[in-house]
Amino acid sequence: MSGYRLDKGGYIDRNTPLTFSFEGKQYSGFDGDTLASALIANGVSVIGRSFKYHRPRGILGAGLDEPNAIMQIESGPHTIPNLKATGIELYDGLQANPVNAWPSLAFDALSINSLLSRFIPAAFYYKTFMWPHWHVFEPTIRKAAGLGVSPNFPDPDRYEKRFVHCDVLVIGGGPAGLLAAQAASRSGARVIIVEYDPEWGGSLLNDPKEMDGTTSDTWIQKIVDELQEAPQTTVLNRTMAFGVYDHGLIGLVERVTDHLPVSSRSGVRQRIWKVRAAHTIIASGAMERPFVFPNNDRPGIMLASAGETYARRYAAAPGKRVVVVTNNDYGHYCAQSLQKMGVEIVAIADARLQKNTLLPGQIDLNNYPVFFGMTVTDTSGRHRVRSAQLHAIDDSGKAISGRSHNIDCDTILMSGGWSPVVHLFSQAGGKLVFDAKAQAFIPTSCEQNIVCVGAATGEYSLAKNLIDAAKAGSNAASKSGFKCGSMAVPSVEGSEASTVRAMWQVDVSAIGGSEQKAWVDFQNDVTASDVKLAIRENFQSVEHVKRYTTLGMASDQGKTSNVNGIGVMESVLKKPMAQVGTTKFRPPYDPTTIGAFAGRRVGENFAPLRALAAEQGHKEAGAKFDDYGGWKRPVCYLQGAETEAEAVQREAKAIRHGVGIFEASPLGKIEVFGPDAAKFLNRMYVNIMSTLKAGQCRYGIMLDENGVVFDDGVLGCLKENHFLVGTTSGKAAAIAEQFEEWLQCEWTDLDVVTDNVTSAWSIINVNGPNARDLLQKFDCTVDLSPDVFKHMQMREGRLAGVSCRIQRVSFSGELSYEVAIPWAYGASFWQALISEGAAFGVCPFGIEALMILRIEKGYLHVGSDTDGMTVPQDIGFGRILAKKKSDFVGRRSIMRPDAVRKNRRQFIGLENISDESPFRVGAHILPPGKVAPPAHTQGWVTSSVYSPNTGKPIALALVERGTERYGEEVQIWDLGESRRAKIVRPGVFDPEGRRLHV
Amino acid sequence: MLQINCPYCGPRSEVEFRCGGESHIKRPGPPEDVSDAEWSEYLFFRKNPKGIHFERWLHRFGCGRWFNIARDTVSHEVLHEYAIDMPAPTIIEKTK
Ligand SMILES: [Zn+2]
């Protein structure tokens, strides 16, 4: 043995040495190592510092239950925080660093935390740092108690998602999982089997057996080959099932390239599989529990199964002088197996009395001292354990003074019994019960089609588990309608009868020990005394104790700590484990990369914007784009060196003096057909729509059932029983959906069909005094003459040979045509308008200029000038309401006393009489006599701009009793400034509306 | 994520649907005959059972049709799918 590497054995490739660095120091390992096994082989015992006290910590486990060996790997954009060294496959050039040590592992400046106060009790931070506010202290505390750091760069890796359906999903590639998959696969069912590890075989990798007269390695290989060849079966290693959701949905994450050196990775790094499985078989095995005794956290103290895994799978000896502490037979098997591999066993302490064990003949008790009825009560050693103190214990588990041993060692292997891995079963809604024989929570029933097999059931006899697994595989396939033949189950050697003595915590009160350093949760630094303190402070429920102490809330989700923690609660609450119960497990089973969840939806694809028909034309005209309700639309068009604000002012002025063009394609367009179309629209809109004649348009507002103004738009009648409903750009889809909801769910008697044609038609708005002259340059079958095509009318026809729908409607107060043509022609129509318009000085304009124009006219914008409390009476629809007798959506709600009270906020205009700059949107109107808050607000500014066509700032507002107060001067509280305004009618430009009718 | 059996398209993932909440709610009217209490009952008051819930769903990214389901709010099991204008089926709740 050189260092800690055993001379032979292991699944490592000794011909492929690899170098890696840990905390800046170079080490070497072999292909097939994990980072953890390579560190152990190099004799590195301190691999991290604990979360709260910064105590030196070593590797505890060999799988995803590892609480201590938390790593930050690589640097720059490829860095990944908080990975467990036990789950990282070693590759050449791997860089790893511990996460909780500053400046270094050997000297951690913050370990002073463990000297400061006696100890930091549960919830100490929350209790101590309450004033003035927890958030003031939190950043510093988090740094001291932090985990890794997230990268400061965009993620350079690619991820993808895949959706699949299958008949049988098997989670876990140990003996039970493999056999279940084989049984299901042979029926021809669609089977998926997943395994977190790169290697198949599970427990057989640690504990090889003779199976069917051959080695377990050969048996595994044969079965994996068969599954891989089966056409309907998908075999995924390096894949973790992280979550089980409703109706058989299981989330998997496949690590495609994580095991390769960063420089040789290409393609997708990780892939999320969303599997909808008709039946799921969980074969996730069991995890070993540590013991809770004082100073059980020193480096060199490890789970017994982990010690065996390192020696067996990776040929890395867990230590050179090993003490095994156990309460069940496994400790003996483990010790014997390690000794055979050349690891020195100094002693075994078995909590059971010898008469209570069923140790078979193959266990030789003469190879090393075996102390029955004794357990570890304390340890010594700073950077690695140096000795174990053993005491005899009485029937209640209390250490007895006097009868003790002190044993020199460099390693203590703990076998505190086994807990089935029930996380996924619990996530699925499955129920767990405490089983006294197994001394563990075991799975029982589940509403979903999910069963557990193998050690995950709490049964540890391989022979029995294989029979049950084959049955489970066949059952699942037959329930999906596949025929299963009989399955031969391999015969296996050995007997697995065992007893286990409950040992949740070693009671050291009689020997003067301190449980303040008896760790339950290693990663979150929760001790037995923390759990007891929480109970003393009256946190009785297991869910409350968990949150108060943070027990089980670290990135390992308490895999090694939950059951022991519940055991400690049992002793204090004096109620059995079964009644204390366990917390519910939630996804993910182990932290999962956020990038994998995002998949391809990153950057531009995160929330893709919809493009206008003439996007290229807008670019060429100098458009500056922004996101307006999911559409990428021009804010304005920049000329020369002008600023955005200057461009908006220029455009708003140009339209009133010539002609402008604006792409309005996102305006919602919903066609409504049928004999009851008019009746239906009457019920959807506040206005009467049934009187609309073919070729006419009408402005309408729509409420929700609470009576709140929801949308507005122009409705046109194409012909009898055929309407074109215009909606605002952001609401097209929502309103189309509402129409259908009312028609399908409430008014099923109405004979109406709706069709959302928003993206079928592009719209270019030609706007301004010269609009007609410009449009007349085109070959159009629609007569635009003012005496035949009037304001608020619409026509259908052909423009340049293409069908068109033209509405003469205006949001600017100028002569304005909204010309709709099929989407594909929008871009060329825009180009033609630019070239034909050159003679008129045509001005492309963006949304902001249109907003100025509508504010000058006092036209309201739903969502800006209205809010979630605005009813139609507030915005001048009182008269229309009075005329309409029939019911419509929201009608009853606007009859409520609150909707008809006299002091409602009403839509009005404001004239700035203090200065020349616009009020800020949101500025408050104060009651008479008040110049500053505190004061009751009478309303607020809802729209505000500088108006280039009147040469002054103008605003719209919602103000209490506003329409009774025209001419009144009011005080404005504008972000700390006191200003004055006069209440006026909305619409300061062309108030008579003459320009609309030219 | 639920799997819902659209009566018109077959089983699809929940992401394709929109839940419209409790079904079989009668809209009172005409407005002038409806009391404030009756109207607020219609607008705001919903059942929140631990057990069978009748609710309406829209197959939004599919056939675009509304339909009803009976769902167990504890197990999320969908016991029935039925047309929007059908009355709620009688279901004997499983003893839990
Ligand atoms: Zn459908």
Side-chain angles (χ1 to χ4, degrees), chain B residues 6 8-9 17 59 62-64:
Chain B
C6 170
Y8 311 101
C9 306
F17 298 86
H59 193 189
C63 59

Side-chain angles (χ1 to χ4, degrees), chain A residues 631 664-671 711 713-714 724-733 756-759 763:
Chain A
W631 288 89
S665 304
L667 281 175
K669 314 160 195 83
I670 303 165
E671 293 192 29
D711 198 49
V714 171
L724 179 64
V725 173
T727 77
T728 55
S729 302
K731 295 250 175 67
N756 182 359
V757 298
T758 301
S759 56
I763 296 179

Side-chain angles (χ1 to χ4, degrees), chain A residues 534-566:
Chain A
I535 296 169
R536 279 206 306 282
E537 296 188 0
N538 209 26
F539 292 88
Q540 307 264 322
S541 142
V542 62
E543 295 281 5
H544 291 158
V545 170
K546 168 179 165 172
R547 280 154 187 85
Y548 193 59
T549 60
T550 73
L551 171 79
M553 289 172 69
S555 69
D556 61 351
Q557 287 206 7
K559 292 188 178 68
T560 52
S561 63
N562 278 337
V563 180
N564 282 340
I566 294 161

Side-chain angles (χ1 to χ4, degrees), chain A residues 54-368:
Chain A
H54 290 251
R55 280 168 66 100
R57 290 278 166 83
I59 293 166
L60 182 82
L64 290 181
D65 50 349
E66 174 57 38
N68 294 333
I70 309 299
M71 298 291 153
Q72 177 103 24
I73 68 161
E74 304 304 338
S75 54
H78 287 281
T79 193
I80 305 169
N82 306 338
L83 289 181
K84 296 169 181 74
T86 49
I88 302 169
E89 290 177 62
L90 197 68
Y91 54 78
D92 204 38
L94 175 79
Q95 296 172 24
N97 280 290
V99 294
N100 265 340
W102 182 82
S104 75
L105 279 178
F107 176 78
D108 184 315
L110 294 163
S111 62
I112 197 149
N113 260 7
S114 62
L115 306 173
L116 261 182
S117 61
R118 272 184 69 223
F119 249 54
I120 304 173
F124 165 82
Y125 290 118
Y126 296 102
K127 287 177 194 164
T128 311
F129 298 105
M130 281 200 308
W131 185 89
H133 207 266
W134 159 248
H135 296 284
V136 177
F137 302 102
E138 191 186 3
T140 325
I141 292 168
R142 290 269 181 242
K143 190 167 179 249
L147 286 168
V149 290
S150 61
N152 286 323
F153 306 88
D155 190 338
D157 289 311
R158 290 210 291 122
Y159 304 87
E160 68 177 23
K161 282 184 237 184
R162 190 171 286 183
F163 296 81
V164 284
H165 293 258
C166 70
D167 301 305
V168 184
L169 171 69
V170 180
I171 298 168
L178 286 170
L179 199 67
Q182 187 184 41
S185 172
R186 284 185 176 174
S187 74
R190 295 169 302 169
V191 175
I192 299 175
I193 177 166
V194 299
E195 167 57 50
Y196 177 85
D197 207 276
E199 299 290 335
W200 297 93
S203 62
L204 294 174
L205 296 171
N206 283 1
D207 186 12
K209 296 230 186 277
E210 199 179 294
M211 295 176 79
D212 268 350
T214 168
T215 65
S216 44
D217 284 356
T218 313
W219 181 79
I220 295 163
Q221 197 52 53
K222 260 175 66 184
I223 214 165
V224 172
D225 288 346
E226 179 186 327
L227 293 172
Q228 272 167 344
E229 277 160 31
Q232 304 283 5
T233 297
T234 307
V235 178
L236 296 167
N237 61 339
R238 295 194 172 97
T239 302
M240 174 176 70
F242 61 80
V244 179
Y245 306 89
D246 291 313
H247 295 179
L249 182 78
I250 287 101
L252 312 176
V253 60
E254 181 187 2
R255 308 183 308 281
V256 185
T257 62
D258 282 3
H259 59 292
L260 301 172
V262 175
S263 58
S264 43
R265 290 177 196 169
S266 66
V268 170
R269 180 184 158 222
Q270 290 187 355
R271 182 179 291 126
I272 293 260
W273 293 67
K274 295 187 181 181
V275 182
R276 191 71 80 167
H279 296 271
T280 300
I281 297 172
I282 298 176
S284 47
M287 281 173 177
E288 204 170 23
R289 294 190 291 259
F291 283 110
V292 181
F293 53 76
N295 292 302
N296 61 343
D297 68 329
R298 298 195 195 281
I301 304 180
M302 192 184 273
L303 295 173
S305 55
E308 192 183 10
T309 299
Y310 288 119
R312 176 77 64 188
R313 276 193 68 178
Y314 306 103
K320 296 187 174 174
R321 294 174 52 73
V322 175
V323 168
V324 175
V325 51
T326 187
N327 62 352
N328 66 94
D329 289 2
Y330 174 70
H332 296 271
Y333 286 106
C334 176
Q336 186 163 293
S337 149
L338 284 169
Q339 194 184 47
K340 278 187 191 153
M341 287 185 274
V343 179
E344 187 192 344
I345 306 296
V346 215
I348 296 185
D350 187 335
R352 302 169 298 176
L353 295 173
Q354 192 168 4
K355 61 174 189 199
N356 296 336
T357 67
L358 297 165
L359 288 171
Q362 76 220 54
I363 294 292
D364 188 346
L365 298 172
N366 301 315
N367 290 334
Y368 29 72

Side-chain angles (χ1 to χ4, degrees), chain A residues 714-875:
Chain A
V714 171
L715 278 74
C717 180
L718 289 158
K719 52 179 180 287
E720 202 188 348
N721 300 332
H722 187 181
F723 294 84
L724 179 64
V725 173
T727 77
T728 55
S729 302
K731 295 250 175 67
I735 289 167
E737 208 167 288
Q738 273 201 8
F739 281 3
E740 280 300 312
E741 185 167 2
W742 284 104
L743 286 169
Q744 290 185 35
C745 302
E746 188 66 36
W747 299 318
T748 49
D749 55 320
L750 294 187
D751 191 355
V752 177
V753 169
T754 72
D755 190 7
N756 182 359
V757 298
T758 301
S759 56
W761 298 84
S762 66
I763 296 179
I764 312 291
N765 173 217
V766 185
N767 203 324
N770 297 335
R772 186 181 298 118
D773 298 340
L774 172 53
L775 273 181
Q776 273 168 345
K777 295 279 171 194
F778 288 82
D779 169 24
C780 184
T781 60
V782 175
D783 184 353
L784 299 174
S785 327
D787 45 337
V788 296
F789 189 1
K790 296 194 165 75
H791 180 55
M792 294 308 275
Q793 291 192 336
M794 77 171 296
R795 300 286 181 268
E796 288 184 282
R798 300 187 83 75
L799 184 132
V802 174
S803 37
C804 70
R805 286 171 172 176
I806 304 178
Q807 292 190 326
R808 187 177 164 186
V809 294
S810 180
F811 202 37
S812 65
E814 301 296 328
L815 171 67
S816 157
Y817 299 93
E818 285 180 357
V819 184
I821 60 167
W823 191 275
Y825 295 98
S828 48
F829 183 41
W830 175 271
Q831 287 307 336
L833 284 165
I834 292 275
S835 40
E836 291 293 342
F840 300 88
V842 69
C843 173
F845 65 100
I847 291 205
E848 296 307 319
L850 185 62
M851 285 297 144
I852 290 182
L853 297 173
R854 68 101 191 160
I855 295 168
E856 286 179 339
K857 287 296 296 178
Y859 294 151
L860 74 89
H861 184 237
V862 173
S864 299
D865 302 306
T866 68
D867 58 33
M869 290 176 284
T870 308
V871 297
Q873 297 97 311
D874 303 339
I875 55 168

